[in-house]
Amino acid sequence: MKKPASFLLVLGLILVSAPVRPDPEDDLAILAAAYPGAFEIDGERGLRFPGGILIPYDDGKEKDFAALLDDPDLEDMLSLPYPLGEAGMFPARNYDPGRFRPHAFFRALYGGSEEEVRARLRPVQWMPSLGGPRLLMSTRFGVDTKLEAVIAGLETLGPEYRRYLLPPGGGFNYRPIAGSRRLSAHSFGIAVDIAVGPSHYWQWEPRGAEEYRNAIPQAIVAIFEKQGFIWGGKWYHFDTMHFEYRPELILKARLSAHPVSQPGRRAR
Ligand SMILES: [Zn+2]
């Protein structure tokens, strides 16, 4: 028997209006492609690292924003699409793609202690043609060589870009995020801060994250994104000097060919 047209219409409306449900298989495959050889996919349960440690995909917990920062699972980490390219809008409240970092996952990838992370670092010359300093970066997954490719791109930019790049704010630094007990991405040797002077950080602004501010040119952002680094200037809790190697977010954005229609408020 043929289904009545009204049934199909209702079904269609449900499908259109339903929130995008994460697909564990897709997400886990993206992680495997982003971090080759680091782990095995264990069904839909999560990722199995050498030594048997399982990083669960979905811990089944309902979380508010604070809990997403403090105790995210892999599903949470990939839940907010990272907007590739030039974002025409400023981020919506608490739209922070990349700030939900499951610590056990990053420790398993880059080192479980400061000593373990340090054993895998290598100095990378920052802007060598301009006499920049050396930054310590992880050699895992070629993060160090990816940064060198970024630097080669940055060196093709004109002299008007120098003030955004020199002196850099830093690379590896085993430290908690300001005002929290969570380890920063700098602790794993996967993050770089460009020049602090022309940058904006929500914690330093009189109105905090309420008033988005940025002076970093899009040309710099595009060079980093091409090599798998995300930019903290696309977060509601903006940190415009901050770039971080997060190939899973860049890959997911490319695969979904996500337009730059990040949920957001209009530019002022
Ligand atoms: Zn930073």
Side-chain angles (χ1 to χ4, degrees):
M1 194 177 106
K2 279 179 79 175
K3 293 212 161 50
S6 59
F7 170 85
L8 292 176
L9 178 65
V10 169
L11 180 67
L13 287 174
I14 290 169
L15 289 175
V16 166
S17 59
V20 179
R21 292 196 61 80
D23 182 326
E25 256 182 69
D26 284 358
D27 276 358
L28 293 170
I30 284 168
L31 288 166
Y35 301 102
F39 44 73
E40 304 285 336
I41 295 173
D42 188 343
E44 292 192 357
R45 293 206 295 159
L47 305 175
R48 184 76 63 180
F49 279 78
I53 180 175
L54 177 81
I55 308 290
Y57 176 72
D58 180 6
D59 59 17
K61 297 179 196 164
E62 285 288 319
K63 291 168 198 162
D64 60 12
F65 184 68
L68 284 168
L69 288 172
D70 282 336
D71 185 26
D73 58 24
L74 297 172
E75 179 189 13
D76 300 325
M77 178 174 79
L78 288 164
S79 61
L80 297 178
Y82 177 82
L84 270 182
E86 190 152 19
M89 290 177 159
F90 296 133
R93 183 169 183 79
N94 291 344
Y95 197 88
D96 290 348
R99 283 184 81 221
F100 308 149
R101 302 181 193 89
H103 271 170
F105 178 61
F106 287 91
R107 283 198 300 270
L109 291 177
Y110 295 105
S113 64
E114 180 171 357
E115 292 65 36
E116 277 185 35
V117 174
R118 277 186 181 279
R120 295 157 163 177
L121 299 177
R122 181 173 77 80
V124 171
Q125 189 84 43
W126 178 253
M127 306 303 290
S129 72
L130 301 172
R134 301 202 300 175
L135 301 176
L136 287 174
M137 296 298 288
S138 182
T139 55
R140 294 278 286 149
F141 313 106
V143 180
D144 54 338
T145 54
K146 302 268 168 53
L147 183 65
E148 284 172 333
V150 168
I151 293 166
L154 296 174
E155 293 220 309
T156 67
L157 298 175
E160 67 273 25
Y161 287 87
R162 284 179 193 170
R163 60 184 291 261
Y164 303 109
L165 302 171
L166 286 168
F172 170 75
N173 188 351
Y174 205 84
R175 62 154 195 242
I177 297 167
S180 88
R181 280 158 50 187
R182 286 172 280 121
L183 277 179
S184 140
H186 291 275
S187 307
F188 299 108
I190 60 172
V192 174
D193 290 336
I194 60 172
V196 176
S199 293
H200 295 93
Y201 178 41
W202 70 278
Q203 298 229 42
W204 297 343
E205 299 297 324
R207 295 188 59 211
E210 290 292 304
E211 186 169 3
Y212 178 86
R213 299 190 69 196
N214 172 50
I216 303 303
Q218 170 62 24
I220 291 175
V221 177
I223 287 169
F224 273 98
E225 287 181 348
K226 193 176 169 199
Q227 300 299 333
F229 290 77
I230 61 167
W231 178 43
K234 288 182 175 171
W235 297 337
Y236 175 76
H237 295 92
F238 52 89
D239 182 356
T240 73
M241 74 194 89
H242 182 85
F243 291 89
E244 170 176 340
Y245 185 67
R246 298 294 295 282
E248 74 281 18
L249 291 167
I250 300 284
L251 186 58
K252 186 166 180 173
R254 284 194 189 131
L255 286 175
S256 59
H258 216 274
V260 293
S261 61
Q262 178 182 9
R265 50 184 197 244
R266 291 226 159 262
R268 277 178 301 275

